[in-house]
Amino acid sequence: TFVVIENCIKCKYTDCVEVCPVDCFHEGPNFLVIDPEECIDCTLCEPECPAEAIVPEDDIPEGQEDFLELNAELSRQWPVITTRKEPPADAEEWDGKPDKLKYLER
Ligand code: SF4
Ligand code: F3S
């Protein structure tokens, strides 16, 4: 499966959702996740993310391993998103900021 990692938080560009052939992105207030039970590893979403926040599960950056389980957990709670929407107005300011997990809204 592919996994959405920390840099999506507060960036949430949503370019990723348009290319997924199996609609496995789920949307929360300031973060997206991938449903690992639906993802078919097509790889299409990975290059779409301007924040480089989508990685294969065997390539999760050190320290962000918990995002694998977080994607599974939140995809069971959040609704599916299939259409791109405007990112937050301050998305660019947050791109690349460290330690954003504490800002995750559920
Ligand atoms: Fe969807 Fe393919 Fe990305 Fe998996 S790898 S989330 S199937 S676009
Ligand atoms: Fe997040 Fe990147 Fe998609 S910032 S919403 S994973 S395009």
Side-chain angles (χ1 to χ4, degrees), residues 10-85:
K10 286 176 123 350
C11 286
K12 200 190 181 194
Y13 287 113
T14 68
D15 300 79
C16 52
V17 306
E18 299 263 350
V19 299
C20 183
V22 292
D23 298 347
C24 53
F25 283 91
H26 293 247
E27 183 189 22
N30 64 4
F31 183 52
L32 255 58
V33 291
I34 290 169
D35 182 346
E37 306 211 348
E38 298 292 333
C39 177
I40 57 171
D41 288 328
C42 75
T43 77
L44 288 176
C45 57
E46 184 178 12
E48 292 299 314
C49 177
E52 297 182 0
I54 301 175
V55 298
E57 66 177 317
D58 58 7
D59 203 17
I60 297 174
E62 212 181 316
Q64 297 194 44
E65 294 84 1
D66 289 353
F67 276 82
L68 181 57
E69 179 51 35
L70 197 59
N71 275 243
E73 178 196 337
L74 295 175
S75 67
R76 291 191 290 267
Q77 299 171 16
W78 288 347
V80 168
I81 172 173
T82 57
T83 310
R84 187 184 178 277
K85 56 169 72 170

